[in-house]
Amino acid sequence: SAQAYCEAVLARCAALGSLNALTWLDPEAVMRQARAADRARAAGEPSGFLAGLPVVVKDNIDTPGFPTSAGNAWLRSGLPDGAAPVWQALAGQGAILLAKANMHERAAGGTSHNPVFGRVGNPISPGRIAGGSSGGTAAAIAAGLAPVGLGTDTSGSLHTPASFCGIAALRPTTASARAMELGVATPLPPGFDVWFGRCLAREPQHRFANAGEARAAFALMMGGFTPVVVQEPPFANMQYVMSKGKGVIF
């Protein structure tokens, strides 16, 4: 059940708190969502493909109930006005917001040594860095704190921590990412930023196992968005068009 699974995940989060992968966590809210998912399933109500699945979200992506600090002291006290489209898409498929993930401050670095929340540990190689800037997401998944997570990438912020922590990551093109650009704090160069991506772990009995399944998760998130045309520097001579049912660009 979603309740049993989330109880196990929360217990592991508590046991591995020293990893410092998470910034914000509300166990009661997680369990409320898990019980609601189980009740809906038992009643035969329609459910999404991700119903009851706990997801960890990098702390520069707006979500309900938590600040979006981007690892910065000035940003840690205020709640966002709403949820980022990428989280809305996951929630629409029944995903549960497990926690916000630690990161390199303002997504501007590759170590995830954060001056506000502390250094993210590497669960597979203690004493070494987790990589960045999405280090908390990668470390949380590699340690079994969450089965799947969201990060962001400008020039390596997904695949660097994924490789350092021994998991898989999917970085979509800037073309597809532009559909969900709102709701992310501290944007970097617009021609290269990818506002979302998945860090996906390697143990199939508990987690998405490979890049193919990462692509499937990506398609789920993209499915509910209306067509978007992007034309801006440094790609002023290129147009990227997306629409529901038209596939995605990687």
Side-chain angles (χ1 to χ4, degrees), residues 202-224:
R202 55 188 178 178
E203 299 179 18
Q205 66 269 32
H206 296 301
R207 311 179 180 115
F208 288 121
N210 55 47
E213 288 171 343
R215 289 170 64 112
F218 178 73
L220 283 176
M221 287 192 292
M222 293 303 299

Side-chain angles (χ1 to χ4, degrees), residues 19-46:
L19 187 63
N20 208 31
L22 308 177
T23 56
W24 313 99
L25 172 66
D26 185 347
E28 293 184 2
V30 172
M31 293 310 302
R32 283 197 302 270
Q33 295 174 79
R35 289 190 289 267
D38 286 339
R39 286 194 299 269
R41 185 180 293 109
E45 298 176 6

Side-chain angles (χ1 to χ4, degrees), residues 43-146:
E45 298 176 6
S47 58
F49 289 103
L50 304 179
L53 185 74
V55 178
V56 64
V57 178
K58 188 177 181 180
D59 198 11
N60 65 341
I61 299 173
D62 288 342
T63 60
F66 295 119
T68 302
S69 77
N72 181 267
W74 287 8
L75 299 175
R76 66 182 298 183
S77 59
L79 292 174
D81 293 333
V86 63
W87 174 251
Q88 294 176 26
L90 289 178
Q93 292 291 341
I96 293 172
L97 176 59
L98 173 65
K100 300 297 285 288
N102 202 354
M103 57 181 285
H104 201 103
E105 184 179 16
R106 300 179 65 86
T111 65
S112 295
H113 291 184
N114 188 280
V116 179
F117 297 101
R119 170 180 175 171
V120 177
N122 188 322
I124 67 167
S125 186
R128 296 184 177 177
I129 64 173
S133 63
S134 305
T137 300
I141 294 167
L145 308 187

